[in-house]
Amino acid sequence: MARPRSPRIDKTPFEVQIVDHRHDGRGGARRDGKTMFVSDALPGERVMVEQTAKNRHFDEGRTVEVLQASPDRVAPRCEHFGVCSGCVLQHLAEDKQILLKQRVLLENLERIGHVAPQTVLPPLTGDSWGYRRKGRFSVRRVNKKGKTLVGFRETDPRFVADLRTCHTVIPQIGERIEALALLVESLDAREDIPQIEFIAGDETVAMVFRHLNPLNDTDRTKLVAFAMQHDFAFYLQSGGIDTVVPLWPDAPKLAFALPQWNVELAFRPLDFIQVNATLNQKMIARTFELLDPQPQDRILDLFCGLGNFTLPMARLAGEVVGVEGEAGLVARARENAERNGLANAHFHAADLTEDQRGTPWMRQGFNKLLLDPPRSGADEVLKQLPLKNIDRIVYVSCHPASLARDAGFLVKERGYKLKAAGVMDMFPHTGHVESIALFETK
C-alpha cells in the first residue's frame, strides 16, 4: 500500500513576530493559532520566514530576512553558520547565550521536576572560541563536486558541511579542516574513510581515521607525512574500538593535567574527556565547592569515566569510589590512580542502568554522592541507592530534562532539598546545556 503523500508546503515568504526562544537556537512564533519554530530568529524580532516543514502540532521555518533586529543579535563569526549544525547560537550575543541556557534549566526544573532551587548559581563560563578538543568529523566524497568534504553535519543531517575552518574547534585542527579534506581527497582510499575523530591532550593532538578497507602503503605514507608536517598523532581504525592502532608516532602521549590538584589523566584516542579544558577545571572546582570533600568523607562517584572528578577529589577526601559502565575507562582510571599515587581512589565497572544492589561497592556505605550521568540521566541507579546516610549530593548534568526528572525524584520521593543549581557553558554557541545541582537533606 502506497504511503500518503506529505502535504505540499507553500514556500512563499511571510512575516511573523518572534515571541520566545528555544535552546536549539530557533525562535518561537504563532501563525494562524499554531506554533512555529524559526531558525536564525531571536525574541522581539520581526522576520520574513520561509516554511520548511509542517507537523501536526507545530510548523518549522527559516528566516530569509530580518525586518526588525533584536539588540541581542550579533554577526556570526563563522561563514558556515546556518548551514553547519555544529553551532546554532552564534547570532546571539555571548552573554545572552548563557542566560538562555539558564532559563532552559530553570524552566525544565519547574515544568518536569516541579522543583526550584533555593539559590541560582552564577553561570560558569570559559573559553568561547577554539575550545573544542574532542569531536568527530564526517567525511564524504561528493562526485558531483569532484571533492572530499570533511566537517560536521549540515542542519539537514543527510549532508556533510563543506567546511574550510571551524572557530569552535581548537585552532590546531579548526584551521586545517580544508587541508584535511585535501589530504583525504589525495588518497586512493578516499571513498573508504567515513569519519575522522579528534582528541587533544596538553601535548598531543590526535586524529583517528576510520577506514572500511585496508590502506595501501602509498596512502599510509601520505598520512604520516601530513601528521609529521602538522605535528599530529594519527591513528587508524579498521573496525571496532579495539582495532585502533597508532600510525605515527609509535606511542603518542595523550594526557591532560589538573594542576590545581596535582593530577594528570592519561587517556586513549576514543575515550570520553570533557570537551572544554578551561571550563572543565572550573567545573571541577565548583563541584568541590558544593560537595565540600573532607578527610573524614567516603564519597561515591557514579559515571566516573577516567576519574575526571574522582582523582582530584581523592586529594581532598578520605576515600573515593568511582563506578563506570565502560570497562576500558575503569582500567584507565585505575592506571591513573596508581600513576598519581592515589591509593584512596578505587574503581569498579558496573552497568548503572541495571540492578546493582547486591554488589560490594553498593553496600560499603557513603556520606556524599557525586553523579555525572549521560543524557539519559540517573533515575535507575537513584532508585537503587541506599541514600539514608548520604546527606549531600552533587549532580552534574548534560541534559536539563533528565536532571529535572531526577531532581523531582530526589525532592518528592527521597526528601532532599534542591539547595542550588546553575548552568555551565561547556559548549558555547551550541544548544547544549550543561548544569550542576546541589541536594541536601537539611
Side-chain angles (χ1 to χ4, degrees):
M1 184 175 177
R3 286 185 179 181
R5 292 185 178 181
S6 301
R8 294 179 65 88
I9 296 174
D10 183 354
K11 296 287 189 178
T12 305
F14 54 88
E15 180 181 331
V16 296
Q17 180 79 28
I18 305 299
V19 295
D20 61 18
H21 204 191
R22 289 165 51 94
H23 73 279
D24 64 4
R26 295 188 293 177
R30 299 285 291 178
R31 186 188 185 220
D32 299 331
K34 191 177 184 182
T35 297
M36 168 167 269
F37 300 124
V38 183
S39 63
D40 192 18
L42 300 176
E45 293 186 332
R46 286 189 305 108
V47 297
M48 295 297 291
V49 175
E50 177 185 274
Q51 188 166 339
T52 57
K54 184 186 291 286
N55 299 285
R56 183 175 180 181
H57 299 293
F58 62 89
D59 293 332
E60 299 174 82
R62 67 179 187 89
T63 300
V64 294
E65 182 183 359
V66 179
L67 303 175
Q68 179 180 338
S70 164
D72 298 331
R73 178 176 285 274
V74 296
R77 177 183 291 198
C78 180
E79 62 180 304
H80 307 296
F81 178 75
V83 176
C84 174
S85 65
C87 299
V88 295
L89 293 176
Q90 282 194 27
H91 61 309
L92 178 61
E94 288 180 29
D95 60 336
K96 298 299 190 295
Q97 290 181 25
I98 192 65
L99 293 180
L100 168 64
K101 295 180 181 186
Q102 179 175 278
R103 194 192 80 200
V104 169
L105 170 64
L106 297 177
E107 287 179 352
N108 273 267
L109 288 171
E110 180 179 357
R111 178 174 54 85
I112 298 171
H114 306 292
V115 295
Q118 294 179 11
T119 300
V120 176
L121 299 167
L124 271 189
T125 57
D127 293 337
S128 58
W129 299 103
Y131 65 84
R132 190 188 287 262
R133 62 176 175 174
K134 178 175 173 58
R136 175 187 296 166
F137 290 133
S138 295
V139 180
R140 180 170 295 175
R141 181 62 166 61
V142 181
N143 292 325
K144 288 183 178 179
K145 295 185 177 183
K147 63 190 295 188
T148 295
L149 306 183
V150 174
F152 298 116
R153 293 284 173 172
E154 291 189 359
T155 51
D156 182 338
R158 296 174 300 169
F159 303 106
V160 177
D162 187 0
L163 301 187
R164 283 172 285 281
T165 59
C166 178
H167 297 287
T168 60
V169 172
I170 58 172
Q172 298 96 311
I173 297 173
E175 295 172 0
R176 294 184 172 92
I177 295 176
E178 192 169 22
L180 267 175
L182 291 172
L183 168 66
V184 177
E185 173 67 16
S186 75
L187 303 178
D188 294 333
R190 63 190 181 188
E191 296 190 20
D192 295 327
I193 298 175
Q195 67 189 41
I196 302 170
E197 297 211 26
F198 61 87
I199 193 167
D202 292 342
E203 301 176 16
T204 306
V205 178
M207 293 189 201
V208 182
F209 287 74
R210 177 84 170 88
H211 56 99
L212 303 178
N213 291 299
L215 301 184
N216 62 33
D217 289 343
T218 301
D219 283 356
R220 286 171 172 263
T221 298
K222 289 179 179 178
L223 289 169
V224 169
F226 189 94
M228 294 177 68
Q229 177 185 355
H230 297 285
D231 197 23
F232 290 139
F234 274 6
Y235 293 78
L236 299 179
Q237 181 186 5
S238 58
I241 191 171
D242 295 332
T243 66
V244 176
V245 293
L247 175 65
W248 190 89
D250 292 335
K253 180 185 177 182
L254 289 174
F256 65 89
L258 300 171
Q260 185 174 343
W261 302 278
N262 190 27
V263 166
E264 183 181 70
L265 282 81
F267 57 89
R268 294 188 182 177
L270 295 186
D271 284 347
F272 172 80
I273 64 172
Q274 295 290 348
V275 161
N276 190 320
T278 58
L279 200 285
N280 183 48
Q281 296 197 37
K282 291 184 178 183
M283 178 177 69
I284 295 170
R286 172 156 292 180
T287 298
F288 293 171
E289 289 172 11
L290 298 174
L291 197 61
D292 190 28
Q294 296 294 323
Q296 68 271 20
D297 288 335
R298 196 161 191 277
I299 302 176
L300 178 61
D301 180 9
L302 297 182
F303 310 95
C304 68
L306 288 165
N308 186 59
F309 293 104
T310 329
L311 296 176
M313 190 156 51
R315 296 283 191 214
L316 307 172
E319 187 175 4
V320 185
V321 174
V323 183
E324 163 63 39
E326 189 177 329
L329 290 177
V330 172
R332 252 87 74 205
R334 289 172 176 158
E335 293 166 2
N336 281 321
E338 184 176 358
R339 187 179 299 109
N340 287 276
L342 294 167
N344 62 331
H346 309 287
F347 294 91
H348 302 273
D351 184 347
L352 294 172
T353 65
E354 296 182 353
D355 194 337
Q356 300 293 330
R357 278 172 282 205
T359 56
W361 63 264
M362 182 75 91
R363 299 195 303 265
Q364 288 172 347
F366 305 90
N367 66 309
K368 292 178 180 177
L369 170 64
L370 173 61
L371 300 153
D372 184 12
R375 288 177 59 85
S376 55
D379 58 330
E380 293 296 329
V381 73
L382 284 174
K383 292 172 184 175
Q384 304 171 33
L385 277 173
L387 295 174
K388 63 180 180 179
N389 295 319
I390 295 177
D391 54 25
R392 185 172 295 193
I393 299 173
V394 171
Y395 190 130
V396 176
S397 168
C398 61
H399 194 249
S402 57
L403 169 60
R405 179 202 62 208
D406 295 344
F409 171 78
L410 287 170
V411 172
K412 308 292 185 184
E413 305 290 331
R414 304 307 288 266
Y416 285 87
K417 293 179 174 62
L418 178 53
K419 302 290 286 189
V423 289
M424 306 178 290
D425 212 2
M426 183 68 73
F427 296 88
H429 311 293
T430 79
H432 293 285
V433 181
E434 198 95 3
S435 53
I436 190 168
L438 169 65
F439 301 87
E440 290 184 347
T441 55
K442 54 188 175 182

